[in-house]
Amino acid sequence: MKRPEQMTLIISIVERGGGGKLVKLYTKEQVFTHIRCEGQGTATSEILDILGLGGTEKDIIISFATRAAAGRLLGRLDDELRSAVPGRGIAFTVPLTAISNLIAAYIGLKTKPDSEEADSMDNQQKNSMLLVTVNQGFTDAVMDTARKAGVRGGTIIRGRWVGDESFAQSYGITTLQAEKEIIFMVVPSDIRNRVMEDVTRLHGLRTEAGAMVSSIAVEQLVHLG
């Protein structure tokens, strides 16, 4: 029996309006299933002026692919497909430990077989994705701390806390607000621990910011545009 191909999640962040074009490009490159959502960048207006960017609004594309197809795609995005990318941004992959059988079967059926295994593990220890969930209104303070530790920027999406309230009561947390902002930051792994420690120390669950910090390994990373 053929061993199922390992699946990978591709997360792409581009300027608002570029997500649709990116999906079409990815579909041509054997990556077929996508979730699209909106976010906001953390860059200041001064940085945007220097970079020549029009605003901080972002399109976030979450795509599912085989590990081989994801490796091919990011390799081409870093080379001959770079000029086809709609605007500046970033794309990176994180490994999946499991996925729905139907999605895996569909992706496997649609993806052309490749005899070459994607060589993406070289980057696994070079970068990490930090997820910081923080009370609404405290993102700027968290990003100031992160930048001092070496982070260049991040992307924000908004959400709500819908977990068990007894979690906060059990640990004496009084700042667990319902309205949340989730910050995605891709950082070099050699500064990951410092960033997590500084954010937790200054903005953790027992502060007004109420930040919760987690880390996910990144396999491949390319800068777009």
Side-chain angles (χ1 to χ4, degrees), residues 108-148:
L109 181 65
K110 293 275 288 184
T111 304
K112 294 179 181 178
D114 187 3
S115 59
E116 296 182 6
E117 183 72 17
D119 186 19
S120 60
M121 295 302 289
D122 289 344
N123 286 308
Q124 185 174 2
Q125 299 302 320
K126 293 182 180 179
N127 297 281
S128 297
M129 179 177 69
L130 300 187
L131 295 179
V132 182
T133 303
V134 64
N135 290 336
Q136 194 172 55
F138 290 90
T139 296
D140 287 346
V142 170
M143 285 306 304
D144 285 345
T145 297
R147 287 192 180 96
K148 290 177 182 177

PDB file of all heavy atoms in Angstrom, residues 108-148:
ATOM      1  N   GLY A 108      -4.431  14.709  -3.014  1.00  0.00           N
ATOM      2  CA  GLY A 108      -3.601  13.671  -3.616  1.00  0.00           C
ATOM      3  C   GLY A 108      -4.020  13.338  -5.029  1.00  0.00           C
ATOM      4  O   GLY A 108      -3.182  13.078  -5.900  1.00  0.00           O
ATOM      5  N   LEU A 109      -5.339  13.347  -5.301  1.00  0.00           N
ATOM      6  CA  LEU A 109      -5.849  13.045  -6.633  1.00  0.00           C
ATOM      7  C   LEU A 109      -5.501  14.142  -7.631  1.00  0.00           C
ATOM      8  O   LEU A 109      -5.168  13.866  -8.784  1.00  0.00           O
ATOM      9  CB  LEU A 109      -7.372  12.859  -6.568  1.00  0.00           C
ATOM     10  CG  LEU A 109      -8.077  12.505  -7.883  1.00  0.00           C
ATOM     11  CD1 LEU A 109      -7.628  11.132  -8.382  1.00  0.00           C
ATOM     12  CD2 LEU A 109      -9.591  12.540  -7.689  1.00  0.00           C
ATOM     13  N   LYS A 110      -5.582  15.409  -7.168  1.00  0.00           N
ATOM     14  CA  LYS A 110      -5.362  16.536  -8.069  1.00  0.00           C
ATOM     15  C   LYS A 110      -3.885  16.834  -8.311  1.00  0.00           C
ATOM     16  O   LYS A 110      -3.525  17.408  -9.335  1.00  0.00           O
ATOM     17  CB  LYS A 110      -6.021  17.791  -7.484  1.00  0.00           C
ATOM     18  CG  LYS A 110      -7.526  17.744  -7.431  1.00  0.00           C
ATOM     19  CD  LYS A 110      -8.152  18.174  -8.738  1.00  0.00           C
ATOM     20  CE  LYS A 110      -7.999  19.662  -8.957  1.00  0.00           C
ATOM     21  NZ  LYS A 110      -8.675  20.125 -10.187  1.00  0.00           N
ATOM     22  N   THR A 111      -3.030  16.466  -7.359  1.00  0.00           N
ATOM     23  CA  THR A 111      -1.616  16.817  -7.455  1.00  0.00           C
ATOM     24  C   THR A 111      -0.866  15.808  -8.307  1.00  0.00           C
ATOM     25  O   THR A 111      -0.974  14.599  -8.097  1.00  0.00           O
ATOM     26  CB  THR A 111      -0.982  16.869  -6.047  1.00  0.00           C
ATOM     27  OG1 THR A 111      -1.726  17.776  -5.237  1.00  0.00           O
ATOM     28  CG2 THR A 111       0.459  17.345  -6.139  1.00  0.00           C
ATOM     29  N   LYS A 112      -0.094  16.312  -9.239  1.00  0.00           N
ATOM     30  CA  LYS A 112       0.710  15.431 -10.085  1.00  0.00           C
ATOM     31  C   LYS A 112       1.818  14.795  -9.244  1.00  0.00           C
ATOM     32  O   LYS A 112       2.426  15.463  -8.406  1.00  0.00           O
ATOM     33  CB  LYS A 112       1.331  16.222 -11.235  1.00  0.00           C
ATOM     34  CG  LYS A 112       0.312  16.765 -12.226  1.00  0.00           C
ATOM     35  CD  LYS A 112       1.001  17.548 -13.320  1.00  0.00           C
ATOM     36  CE  LYS A 112      -0.025  18.114 -14.313  1.00  0.00           C
ATOM     37  NZ  LYS A 112       0.622  18.923 -15.380  1.00  0.00           N
ATOM     38  N   PRO A 113       2.088  13.506  -9.464  1.00  0.00           N
ATOM     39  CA  PRO A 113       3.144  12.843  -8.689  1.00  0.00           C
ATOM     40  C   PRO A 113       4.500  13.449  -8.979  1.00  0.00           C
ATOM     41  O   PRO A 113       4.775  13.901 -10.095  1.00  0.00           O
ATOM     42  CB  PRO A 113       3.071  11.387  -9.164  1.00  0.00           C
ATOM     43  CG  PRO A 113       2.417  11.448 -10.500  1.00  0.00           C
ATOM     44  CD  PRO A 113       1.455  12.602 -10.449  1.00  0.00           C
ATOM     45  N   ASP A 114       5.337  13.446  -7.961  1.00  0.00           N
ATOM     46  CA  ASP A 114       6.685  14.004  -8.092  1.00  0.00           C
ATOM     47  C   ASP A 114       7.662  13.010  -7.484  1.00  0.00           C
ATOM     48  O   ASP A 114       7.517  12.614  -6.329  1.00  0.00           O
ATOM     49  CB  ASP A 114       6.775  15.345  -7.359  1.00  0.00           C
ATOM     50  CG  ASP A 114       8.105  16.044  -7.597  1.00  0.00           C
ATOM     51  OD1 ASP A 114       8.919  15.512  -8.375  1.00  0.00           O
ATOM     52  OD2 ASP A 114       8.308  17.111  -7.018  1.00  0.00           O
ATOM     53  N   SER A 115       8.653  12.646  -8.242  1.00  0.00           N
ATOM     54  CA  SER A 115       9.622  11.661  -7.762  1.00  0.00           C
ATOM     55  C   SER A 115      10.623  12.258  -6.784  1.00  0.00           C
ATOM     56  O   SER A 115      11.308  11.556  -6.071  1.00  0.00           O
ATOM     57  CB  SER A 115      10.385  11.043  -8.947  1.00  0.00           C
ATOM     58  OG  SER A 115      11.061  12.050  -9.674  1.00  0.00           O
ATOM     59  N   GLU A 116      10.705  13.602  -6.766  1.00  0.00           N
ATOM     60  CA  GLU A 116      11.668  14.263  -5.892  1.00  0.00           C
ATOM     61  C   GLU A 116      10.979  14.701  -4.615  1.00  0.00           C
ATOM     62  O   GLU A 116       9.945  15.355  -4.636  1.00  0.00           O
ATOM     63  CB  GLU A 116      12.284  15.480  -6.586  1.00  0.00           C
ATOM     64  CG  GLU A 116      13.112  15.122  -7.818  1.00  0.00           C
ATOM     65  CD  GLU A 116      13.725  16.366  -8.424  1.00  0.00           C
ATOM     66  OE1 GLU A 116      13.595  17.442  -7.830  1.00  0.00           O
ATOM     67  OE2 GLU A 116      14.346  16.249  -9.486  1.00  0.00           O
ATOM     68  N   GLU A 117      11.548  14.322  -3.499  1.00  0.00           N
ATOM     69  CA  GLU A 117      11.029  14.730  -2.200  1.00  0.00           C
ATOM     70  C   GLU A 117      11.401  16.182  -1.949  1.00  0.00           C
ATOM     71  O   GLU A 117      12.536  16.592  -2.171  1.00  0.00           O
ATOM     72  CB  GLU A 117      11.617  13.850  -1.091  1.00  0.00           C
ATOM     73  CG  GLU A 117      11.081  14.152   0.299  1.00  0.00           C
ATOM     74  CD  GLU A 117       9.637  13.697   0.467  1.00  0.00           C
ATOM     75  OE1 GLU A 117       9.179  12.888  -0.348  1.00  0.00           O
ATOM     76  OE2 GLU A 117       8.983  14.168   1.414  1.00  0.00           O
ATOM     77  N   ALA A 118      10.426  16.984  -1.487  1.00  0.00           N
ATOM     78  CA  ALA A 118      10.698  18.395  -1.229  1.00  0.00           C
ATOM     79  C   ALA A 118      11.744  18.533  -0.127  1.00  0.00           C
ATOM     80  O   ALA A 118      11.611  17.977   0.951  1.00  0.00           O
ATOM     81  CB  ALA A 118       9.410  19.102  -0.796  1.00  0.00           C
ATOM     82  N   ASP A 119      12.770  19.286  -0.417  1.00  0.00           N
ATOM     83  CA  ASP A 119      13.854  19.450   0.556  1.00  0.00           C
ATOM     84  C   ASP A 119      13.609  20.709   1.366  1.00  0.00           C
ATOM     85  O   ASP A 119      14.251  21.725   1.167  1.00  0.00           O
ATOM     86  CB  ASP A 119      15.194  19.540  -0.185  1.00  0.00           C
ATOM     87  CG  ASP A 119      16.367  19.575   0.785  1.00  0.00           C
ATOM     88  OD1 ASP A 119      16.187  19.180   1.948  1.00  0.00           O
ATOM     89  OD2 ASP A 119      17.457  19.998   0.368  1.00  0.00           O
ATOM     90  N   SER A 120      12.635  20.640   2.278  1.00  0.00           N
ATOM     91  CA  SER A 120      12.262  21.821   3.041  1.00  0.00           C
ATOM     92  C   SER A 120      12.727  21.774   4.489  1.00  0.00           C
ATOM     93  O   SER A 120      12.630  22.760   5.190  1.00  0.00           O
ATOM     94  CB  SER A 120      10.741  22.008   3.020  1.00  0.00           C
ATOM     95  OG  SER A 120      10.117  20.884   3.599  1.00  0.00           O
ATOM     96  N   MET A 121      13.225  20.645   4.957  1.00  0.00           N
ATOM     97  CA  MET A 121      13.567  20.520   6.361  1.00  0.00           C
ATOM     98  C   MET A 121      14.781  21.335   6.754  1.00  0.00           C
ATOM     99  O   MET A 121      15.009  21.579   7.928  1.00  0.00           O
ATOM    100  CB  MET A 121      13.803  19.050   6.711  1.00  0.00           C
ATOM    101  CG  MET A 121      12.547  18.184   6.576  1.00  0.00           C
ATOM    102  SD  MET A 121      11.202  18.774   7.624  1.00  0.00           S
ATOM    103  CE  MET A 121      11.845  18.342   9.235  1.00  0.00           C
ATOM    104  N   ASP A 122      15.576  21.777   5.781  1.00  0.00           N
ATOM    105  CA  ASP A 122      16.748  22.576   6.102  1.00  0.00           C
ATOM    106  C   ASP A 122      16.368  23.851   6.846  1.00  0.00           C
ATOM    107  O   ASP A 122      17.152  24.392   7.606  1.00  0.00           O
ATOM    108  CB  ASP A 122      17.503  22.951   4.820  1.00  0.00           C
ATOM    109  CG  ASP A 122      18.195  21.748   4.201  1.00  0.00           C
ATOM    110  OD1 ASP A 122      18.331  20.730   4.909  1.00  0.00           O
ATOM    111  OD2 ASP A 122      18.566  21.822   3.021  1.00  0.00           O
ATOM    112  N   ASN A 123      15.141  24.363   6.590  1.00  0.00           N
ATOM    113  CA  ASN A 123      14.738  25.620   7.180  1.00  0.00           C
ATOM    114  C   ASN A 123      13.942  25.439   8.474  1.00  0.00           C
ATOM    115  O   ASN A 123      13.514  26.404   9.075  1.00  0.00           O
ATOM    116  CB  ASN A 123      13.885  26.411   6.185  1.00  0.00           C
ATOM    117  CG  ASN A 123      14.717  27.004   5.068  1.00  0.00           C
ATOM    118  OD1 ASN A 123      15.713  27.671   5.323  1.00  0.00           O
ATOM    119  ND2 ASN A 123      14.331  26.744   3.836  1.00  0.00           N
ATOM    120  N   GLN A 124      13.718  24.166   8.893  1.00  0.00           N
ATOM    121  CA  GLN A 124      12.808  23.928  10.004  1.00  0.00           C
ATOM    122  C   GLN A 124      13.260  24.643  11.272  1.00  0.00           C
ATOM    123  O   GLN A 124      12.432  25.149  12.018  1.00  0.00           O
ATOM    124  CB  GLN A 124      12.671  22.440  10.266  1.00  0.00           C
ATOM    125  CG  GLN A 124      11.644  22.130  11.344  1.00  0.00           C
ATOM    126  CD  GLN A 124      11.410  20.654  11.488  1.00  0.00           C
ATOM    127  OE1 GLN A 124      12.042  19.854  10.813  1.00  0.00           O
ATOM    128  NE2 GLN A 124      10.503  20.283  12.360  1.00  0.00           N
ATOM    129  N   GLN A 125      14.553  24.693  11.542  1.00  0.00           N
ATOM    130  CA  GLN A 125      15.032  25.302  12.764  1.00  0.00           C
ATOM    131  C   GLN A 125      15.442  26.763  12.582  1.00  0.00           C
ATOM    132  O   GLN A 125      15.887  27.384  13.527  1.00  0.00           O
ATOM    133  CB  GLN A 125      16.230  24.500  13.292  1.00  0.00           C
ATOM    134  CG  GLN A 125      15.902  23.047  13.631  1.00  0.00           C
ATOM    135  CD  GLN A 125      14.806  22.921  14.657  1.00  0.00           C
ATOM    136  OE1 GLN A 125      14.754  23.679  15.613  1.00  0.00           O
ATOM    137  NE2 GLN A 125      13.909  21.971  14.462  1.00  0.00           N
ATOM    138  N   LYS A 126      15.265  27.297  11.380  1.00  0.00           N
ATOM    139  CA  LYS A 126      15.707  28.670  11.139  1.00  0.00           C
ATOM    140  C   LYS A 126      14.665  29.711  11.511  1.00  0.00           C
ATOM    141  O   LYS A 126      15.003  30.835  11.860  1.00  0.00           O
ATOM    142  CB  LYS A 126      16.097  28.834   9.670  1.00  0.00           C
ATOM    143  CG  LYS A 126      17.336  28.038   9.277  1.00  0.00           C
ATOM    144  CD  LYS A 126      17.706  28.283   7.825  1.00  0.00           C
ATOM    145  CE  LYS A 126      18.949  27.496   7.441  1.00  0.00           C
ATOM    146  NZ  LYS A 126      19.313  27.705   6.010  1.00  0.00           N
ATOM    147  N   ASN A 127      13.377  29.349  11.392  1.00  0.00           N
ATOM    148  CA  ASN A 127      12.307  30.304  11.674  1.00  0.00           C
ATOM    149  C   ASN A 127      11.186  29.631  12.462  1.00  0.00           C
ATOM    150  O   ASN A 127      10.979  28.427  12.371  1.00  0.00           O
ATOM    151  CB  ASN A 127      11.733  30.874  10.366  1.00  0.00           C
ATOM    152  CG  ASN A 127      12.764  31.655   9.582  1.00  0.00           C
ATOM    153  OD1 ASN A 127      13.062  32.814   9.903  1.00  0.00           O
ATOM    154  ND2 ASN A 127      13.324  31.045   8.550  1.00  0.00           N
ATOM    155  N   SER A 128      10.473  30.459  13.198  1.00  0.00           N
ATOM    156  CA  SER A 128       9.303  30.005  13.943  1.00  0.00           C
ATOM    157  C   SER A 128       8.181  31.011  13.770  1.00  0.00           C
ATOM    158  O   SER A 128       8.426  32.206  13.574  1.00  0.00           O
ATOM    159  CB  SER A 128       9.619  29.863  15.434  1.00  0.00           C
ATOM    160  OG  SER A 128      10.603  28.874  15.667  1.00  0.00           O
ATOM    161  N   MET A 129       6.940  30.527  13.834  1.00  0.00           N
ATOM    162  CA  MET A 129       5.789  31.423  13.824  1.00  0.00           C
ATOM    163  C   MET A 129       5.274  31.557  15.249  1.00  0.00           C
ATOM    164  O   MET A 129       4.924  30.558  15.884  1.00  0.00           O
ATOM    165  CB  MET A 129       4.683  30.900  12.916  1.00  0.00           C
ATOM    166  CG  MET A 129       3.448  31.807  12.901  1.00  0.00           C
ATOM    167  SD  MET A 129       2.145  31.264  11.778  1.00  0.00           S
ATOM    168  CE  MET A 129       1.590  29.758  12.607  1.00  0.00           C
ATOM    169  N   LEU A 130       5.251  32.788  15.752  1.00  0.00           N
ATOM    170  CA  LEU A 130       4.706  33.058  17.071  1.00  0.00           C
ATOM    171  C   LEU A 130       3.262  33.513  16.927  1.00  0.00           C
ATOM    172  O   LEU A 130       2.943  34.347  16.074  1.00  0.00           O
ATOM    173  CB  LEU A 130       5.514  34.142  17.790  1.00  0.00           C
ATOM    174  CG  LEU A 130       6.995  33.856  18.043  1.00  0.00           C
ATOM    175  CD1 LEU A 130       7.591  34.962  18.901  1.00  0.00           C
ATOM    176  CD2 LEU A 130       7.199  32.504  18.695  1.00  0.00           C
ATOM    177  N   LEU A 131       2.384  32.956  17.737  1.00  0.00           N
ATOM    178  CA  LEU A 131       0.995  33.389  17.833  1.00  0.00           C
ATOM    179  C   LEU A 131       0.817  34.045  19.191  1.00  0.00           C
ATOM    180  O   LEU A 131       0.974  33.389  20.222  1.00  0.00           O
ATOM    181  CB  LEU A 131       0.035  32.210  17.688  1.00  0.00           C
ATOM    182  CG  LEU A 131       0.007  31.476  16.346  1.00  0.00           C
ATOM    183  CD1 LEU A 131      -0.987  30.327  16.404  1.00  0.00           C
ATOM    184  CD2 LEU A 131      -0.349  32.425  15.211  1.00  0.00           C
ATOM    185  N   VAL A 132       0.503  35.332  19.181  1.00  0.00           N
ATOM    186  CA  VAL A 132       0.285  36.062  20.428  1.00  0.00           C
ATOM    187  C   VAL A 132      -1.170  36.515  20.461  1.00  0.00           C
ATOM    188  O   VAL A 132      -1.590  37.336  19.640  1.00  0.00           O
ATOM    189  CB  VAL A 132       1.223  37.278  20.543  1.00  0.00           C
ATOM    190  CG1 VAL A 132       1.006  37.979  21.888  1.00  0.00           C
ATOM    191  CG2 VAL A 132       2.679  36.863  20.390  1.00  0.00           C
ATOM    192  N   THR A 133      -1.941  35.972  21.387  1.00  0.00           N
ATOM    193  CA  THR A 133      -3.324  36.391  21.577  1.00  0.00           C
ATOM    194  C   THR A 133      -3.352  37.403  22.707  1.00  0.00           C
ATOM    195  O   THR A 133      -2.905  37.115  23.817  1.00  0.00           O
ATOM    196  CB  THR A 133      -4.213  35.188  21.926  1.00  0.00           C
ATOM    197  OG1 THR A 133      -4.107  34.208  20.889  1.00  0.00           O
ATOM    198  CG2 THR A 133      -5.664  35.612  22.060  1.00  0.00           C
ATOM    199  N   VAL A 134      -3.876  38.604  22.424  1.00  0.00           N
ATOM    200  CA  VAL A 134      -3.766  39.703  23.375  1.00  0.00           C
ATOM    201  C   VAL A 134      -5.102  40.435  23.452  1.00  0.00           C
ATOM    202  O   VAL A 134      -5.888  40.442  22.494  1.00  0.00           O
ATOM    203  CB  VAL A 134      -2.624  40.671  22.938  1.00  0.00           C
ATOM    204  CG1 VAL A 134      -2.947  41.320  21.606  1.00  0.00           C
ATOM    205  CG2 VAL A 134      -2.328  41.696  24.007  1.00  0.00           C
ATOM    206  N   ASN A 135      -5.400  41.039  24.600  1.00  0.00           N
ATOM    207  CA  ASN A 135      -6.611  41.839  24.739  1.00  0.00           C
ATOM    208  C   ASN A 135      -6.600  42.993  23.748  1.00  0.00           C
ATOM    209  O   ASN A 135      -5.550  43.587  23.482  1.00  0.00           O
ATOM    210  CB  ASN A 135      -6.737  42.392  26.166  1.00  0.00           C
ATOM    211  CG  ASN A 135      -7.039  41.305  27.181  1.00  0.00           C
ATOM    212  OD1 ASN A 135      -7.573  40.250  26.842  1.00  0.00           O
ATOM    213  ND2 ASN A 135      -6.688  41.549  28.432  1.00  0.00           N
ATOM    214  N   GLN A 136      -7.770  43.294  23.200  1.00  0.00           N
ATOM    215  CA  GLN A 136      -7.858  44.346  22.193  1.00  0.00           C
ATOM    216  C   GLN A 136      -7.357  45.677  22.749  1.00  0.00           C
ATOM    217  O   GLN A 136      -7.666  46.058  23.875  1.00  0.00           O
ATOM    218  CB  GLN A 136      -9.305  44.498  21.726  1.00  0.00           C
ATOM    219  CG  GLN A 136      -9.465  45.313  20.462  1.00  0.00           C
ATOM    220  CD  GLN A 136     -10.884  45.263  19.938  1.00  0.00           C
ATOM    221  OE1 GLN A 136     -11.830  45.580  20.644  1.00  0.00           O
ATOM    222  NE2 GLN A 136     -11.049  44.842  18.697  1.00  0.00           N
ATOM    223  N   GLY A 137      -6.537  46.363  21.947  1.00  0.00           N
ATOM    224  CA  GLY A 137      -5.990  47.644  22.356  1.00  0.00           C
ATOM    225  C   GLY A 137      -4.562  47.588  22.861  1.00  0.00           C
ATOM    226  O   GLY A 137      -3.957  48.642  23.111  1.00  0.00           O
ATOM    227  N   PHE A 138      -4.003  46.384  22.996  1.00  0.00           N
ATOM    228  CA  PHE A 138      -2.650  46.249  23.534  1.00  0.00           C
ATOM    229  C   PHE A 138      -1.647  45.747  22.491  1.00  0.00           C
ATOM    230  O   PHE A 138      -0.501  45.454  22.821  1.00  0.00           O
ATOM    231  CB  PHE A 138      -2.644  45.313  24.749  1.00  0.00           C
ATOM    232  CG  PHE A 138      -3.305  45.899  25.956  1.00  0.00           C
ATOM    233  CD1 PHE A 138      -4.664  45.716  26.174  1.00  0.00           C
ATOM    234  CD2 PHE A 138      -2.583  46.668  26.856  1.00  0.00           C
ATOM    235  CE1 PHE A 138      -5.294  46.254  27.282  1.00  0.00           C
ATOM    236  CE2 PHE A 138      -3.195  47.217  27.974  1.00  0.00           C
ATOM    237  CZ  PHE A 138      -4.559  47.015  28.188  1.00  0.00           C
ATOM    238  N   THR A 139      -2.078  45.662  21.247  1.00  0.00           N
ATOM    239  CA  THR A 139      -1.185  45.141  20.202  1.00  0.00           C
ATOM    240  C   THR A 139       0.056  46.012  20.025  1.00  0.00           C
ATOM    241  O   THR A 139       1.168  45.496  19.878  1.00  0.00           O
ATOM    242  CB  THR A 139      -1.943  45.028  18.867  1.00  0.00           C
ATOM    243  OG1 THR A 139      -2.986  44.059  19.016  1.00  0.00           O
ATOM    244  CG2 THR A 139      -1.014  44.591  17.748  1.00  0.00           C
ATOM    245  N   ASP A 140      -0.114  47.320  20.013  1.00  0.00           N
ATOM    246  CA  ASP A 140       1.033  48.212  19.801  1.00  0.00           C
ATOM    247  C   ASP A 140       2.088  48.015  20.894  1.00  0.00           C
ATOM    248  O   ASP A 140       3.295  47.981  20.604  1.00  0.00           O
ATOM    249  CB  ASP A 140       0.576  49.672  19.786  1.00  0.00           C
ATOM    250  CG  ASP A 140      -0.179  50.032  18.514  1.00  0.00           C
ATOM    251  OD1 ASP A 140      -0.109  49.239  17.542  1.00  0.00           O
ATOM    252  OD2 ASP A 140      -0.845  51.083  18.492  1.00  0.00           O
ATOM    253  N   ALA A 141       1.652  47.882  22.140  1.00  0.00           N
ATOM    254  CA  ALA A 141       2.601  47.689  23.242  1.00  0.00           C
ATOM    255  C   ALA A 141       3.345  46.369  23.092  1.00  0.00           C
ATOM    256  O   ALA A 141       4.562  46.293  23.299  1.00  0.00           O
ATOM    257  CB  ALA A 141       1.863  47.745  24.580  1.00  0.00           C
ATOM    258  N   VAL A 142       2.611  45.301  22.711  1.00  0.00           N
ATOM    259  CA  VAL A 142       3.253  43.997  22.512  1.00  0.00           C
ATOM    260  C   VAL A 142       4.255  44.062  21.363  1.00  0.00           C
ATOM    261  O   VAL A 142       5.374  43.541  21.466  1.00  0.00           O
ATOM    262  CB  VAL A 142       2.187  42.920  22.237  1.00  0.00           C
ATOM    263  CG1 VAL A 142       2.847  41.615  21.780  1.00  0.00           C
ATOM    264  CG2 VAL A 142       1.349  42.674  23.489  1.00  0.00           C
ATOM    265  N   MET A 143       3.882  44.734  20.266  1.00  0.00           N
ATOM    266  CA  MET A 143       4.793  44.831  19.124  1.00  0.00           C
ATOM    267  C   MET A 143       6.022  45.672  19.451  1.00  0.00           C
ATOM    268  O   MET A 143       7.114  45.385  18.958  1.00  0.00           O
ATOM    269  CB  MET A 143       4.067  45.401  17.915  1.00  0.00           C
ATOM    270  CG  MET A 143       3.129  44.421  17.223  1.00  0.00           C
ATOM    271  SD  MET A 143       3.927  42.850  16.752  1.00  0.00           S
ATOM    272  CE  MET A 143       5.306  43.442  15.741  1.00  0.00           C
ATOM    273  N   ASP A 144       5.872  46.697  20.270  1.00  0.00           N
ATOM    274  CA  ASP A 144       7.047  47.483  20.691  1.00  0.00           C
ATOM    275  C   ASP A 144       8.039  46.590  21.421  1.00  0.00           C
ATOM    276  O   ASP A 144       9.257  46.654  21.190  1.00  0.00           O
ATOM    277  CB  ASP A 144       6.611  48.639  21.602  1.00  0.00           C
ATOM    278  CG  ASP A 144       5.957  49.775  20.840  1.00  0.00           C
ATOM    279  OD1 ASP A 144       6.098  49.814  19.592  1.00  0.00           O
ATOM    280  OD2 ASP A 144       5.289  50.616  21.481  1.00  0.00           O
ATOM    281  N   THR A 145       7.535  45.750  22.315  1.00  0.00           N
ATOM    282  CA  THR A 145       8.399  44.819  23.045  1.00  0.00           C
ATOM    283  C   THR A 145       9.042  43.816  22.092  1.00  0.00           C
ATOM    284  O   THR A 145      10.237  43.522  22.188  1.00  0.00           O
ATOM    285  CB  THR A 145       7.583  44.069  24.116  1.00  0.00           C
ATOM    286  OG1 THR A 145       7.092  45.010  25.075  1.00  0.00           O
ATOM    287  CG2 THR A 145       8.425  43.021  24.818  1.00  0.00           C
ATOM    288  N   ALA A 146       8.250  43.290  21.156  1.00  0.00           N
ATOM    289  CA  ALA A 146       8.768  42.308  20.206  1.00  0.00           C
ATOM    290  C   ALA A 146       9.851  42.922  19.316  1.00  0.00           C
ATOM    291  O   ALA A 146      10.872  42.280  19.040  1.00  0.00           O
ATOM    292  CB  ALA A 146       7.629  41.754  19.359  1.00  0.00           C
ATOM    293  N   ARG A 147       9.646  44.139  18.868  1.00  0.00           N
ATOM    294  CA  ARG A 147      10.653  44.794  18.011  1.00  0.00           C
ATOM    295  C   ARG A 147      11.959  45.013  18.759  1.00  0.00           C
ATOM    296  O   ARG A 147      13.041  44.874  18.187  1.00  0.00           O
ATOM    297  CB  ARG A 147      10.102  46.123  17.485  1.00  0.00           C
ATOM    298  CG  ARG A 147       9.027  45.972  16.410  1.00  0.00           C
ATOM    299  CD  ARG A 147       8.734  47.300  15.733  1.00  0.00           C
ATOM    300  NE  ARG A 147       7.718  47.148  14.713  1.00  0.00           N
ATOM    301  CZ  ARG A 147       6.418  47.391  14.912  1.00  0.00           C
ATOM    302  NH1 ARG A 147       6.003  47.805  16.108  1.00  0.00           N
ATOM    303  NH2 ARG A 147       5.550  47.236  13.936  1.00  0.00           N
ATOM    304  N   LYS A 148      11.878  45.368  20.028  1.00  0.00           N
ATOM    305  CA  LYS A 148      13.091  45.554  20.821  1.00  0.00           C
ATOM    306  C   LYS A 148      13.866  44.245  20.949  1.00  0.00           C
ATOM    307  O   LYS A 148      15.083  44.255  21.129  1.00  0.00           O
ATOM    308  CB  LYS A 148      12.727  46.091  22.209  1.00  0.00           C
ATOM    309  CG  LYS A 148      12.233  47.539  22.196  1.00  0.00           C
ATOM    310  CD  LYS A 148      11.814  47.996  23.585  1.00  0.00           C
ATOM    311  CE  LYS A 148      11.279  49.418  23.546  1.00  0.00           C
ATOM    312  NZ  LYS A 148      10.797  49.873  24.885  1.00  0.00           N
TER     313      LYS A 148
END
